[in-house]
Amino acid sequence: PRRGCSNMDGKFYGAEKFRPRLIITQMVVMQSSFALVFSASAAVADIFAGEQISLSQLFKVTAFTWDTRAGLALASSLWATSLVMAVALRFVVERAKKCLDFAATYHFFHLVATCLVSGFPGTFQWWAIHGLALVVAVVIGEYICMQAETKAISLGSKHSTKKGKPKVAAPALDEI
């Protein structure tokens, strides 16, 4: 708890204590978000490409290619997912310095699932498609987080109140 800082807006980023429960919660939220957004965008891409909708394609090494319409649709859905995940990093992770860790983690779990379903990816196209998705999510996520981190911190006295009631904010994810 902050002492003497109850009238301050914004966040102070100093030394953080180790909070495994928070980290695990953030990882679960990011992994779930990745799975949901990627599968939904792949389904939409399949519909537009005139392909059969299949969840198994997300874990097939040979499905990720730019040589076929279905492969390009799948790659495009992964790249679109990386844009959504960059925004998710801003709200779930909230720190630019942690974006690489969390994005690499959900891509690592996707790699593990792919290895279990169809073996270790040995094609250049699979690595290039996933590598680009990782880089886009990290770079854009870090940029968005840096923008939020560098916002001015107001030091009280300019709080808006309604009918004499103080403004109450919802608890942040890091208060779990």
Side-chain angles (χ1 to χ4, degrees):
R2 296 183 207 153
R3 291 185 195 149
C5 297
S6 60
N7 293 345
M8 302 171 96
D9 285 337
K11 291 192 175 209
F12 291 101
Y13 296 109
E16 298 176 13
K17 65 180 184 178
F18 180 63
R19 296 165 75 178
R21 189 179 191 195
L22 172 64
I23 294 168
I24 291 169
T25 302
Q26 289 171 320
M27 287 175 21
V28 168
V29 169
M30 291 303 296
Q31 190 68 45
S32 301
S33 299
F34 176 75
L36 179 67
V37 173
F38 187 30
S39 59
S41 63
V44 169
D46 285 342
I47 290 169
F48 281 117
E51 299 293 330
Q52 182 179 358
I53 297 174
S54 168
L55 188 60
S56 66
Q57 70 180 334
L58 305 180
F59 307 105
K60 286 186 181 173
V61 174
T62 56
F64 290 91
T65 179
W66 47 74
D67 294 336
T68 65
R69 183 174 60 200
L72 194 55
L74 186 59
S76 298
S77 67
L78 181 62
W79 296 330
T81 299
S82 69
L83 296 173
V84 174
M85 294 307 292
V87 175
L89 285 166
R90 158 60 182 101
F91 293 102
V92 176
V93 178
E94 299 178 325
R95 299 296 309 277
K97 72 179 189 176
K98 295 181 179 180
C99 288
L100 175 61
D101 298 340
F102 280 89
T105 299
Y106 67 74
H107 277 280
F108 173 75
F109 283 122
H110 181 72
L111 171 64
V112 169
T114 300
C115 289
L116 292 173
V117 170
S118 62
F120 188 80
T123 66
F124 171 75
Q125 290 183 9
W126 190 95
W127 288 101
I129 289 166
H130 284 79
L132 179 62
L134 175 62
V135 168
V136 166
V138 170
V139 170
I140 294 174
E142 285 181 351
Y143 176 78
I144 294 170
C145 286
M146 278 190 246
Q147 293 300 311
E149 287 176 13
T150 57
K151 281 185 180 176
I153 300 171
S154 66
L155 299 176
S157 76
K158 292 189 177 182
H159 287 283
S160 63
T161 59
K162 272 187 180 174
K163 299 179 184 178
K165 294 181 183 176
K167 185 169 103 176
V168 179
L173 183 62
D174 62 351
E175 294 175 351
I176 293 176

